[in-house]
Amino acid sequence: GIAERIGECWAVDAGAPNLRDIVVEFRIEADAQGVVRRVMPVGAPPSDPRARMVFEAARRALLDARCNPLPIPRGGVAALNAATYRFNPRDIGLR
């Protein structure tokens, strides 16, 4: 349910070239209710403008109040906070 929830808030410019090959990864810190309080990149934030656009769109989606709280998995908040969240525009139906 987490991917579906975040997918509701994630949008990128479908007109930007070659977005299908970009992948950005994050770790989060969520509170006990599953509300994302902090988003951290895995590695350095991208410097390429297209990748940076995807990065910022994904970061905004994770923090968007419309998509929080996240559904808490069986392992609770610890599982949310231990996961790596991968975003790729190909996964949101860009053609």
Side-chain angles (χ1 to χ4, degrees), residues 22-69:
I22 296 172
V23 176
V24 293
E25 296 181 324
F26 296 92
R27 301 289 303 257
I28 66 167
E29 287 181 11
D31 65 19
Q33 289 72 44
V35 175
V36 177
R37 298 296 180 190
R38 186 168 169 219
V39 177
M40 297 130 322
V42 173
S47 58
D48 173 72
R50 292 172 306 113
R52 187 63 181 215
M53 177 185 64
V54 172
F55 173 87
E56 291 298 336
R59 189 182 70 72
R60 283 191 304 272
L62 285 164
L63 293 168
D64 193 316
R66 295 175 297 147
C67 289
N68 275 282

Side-chain angles (χ1 to χ4, degrees), residues 12-22 48-51 53-54 89 94-95:
V12 294
D13 178 4
N18 301 318
L19 291 184
R20 294 175 58 87
D21 300 326
I22 296 172
D48 173 72
R50 292 172 306 113
M53 177 185 64
V54 172
L94 288 180
R95 307 272 179 247

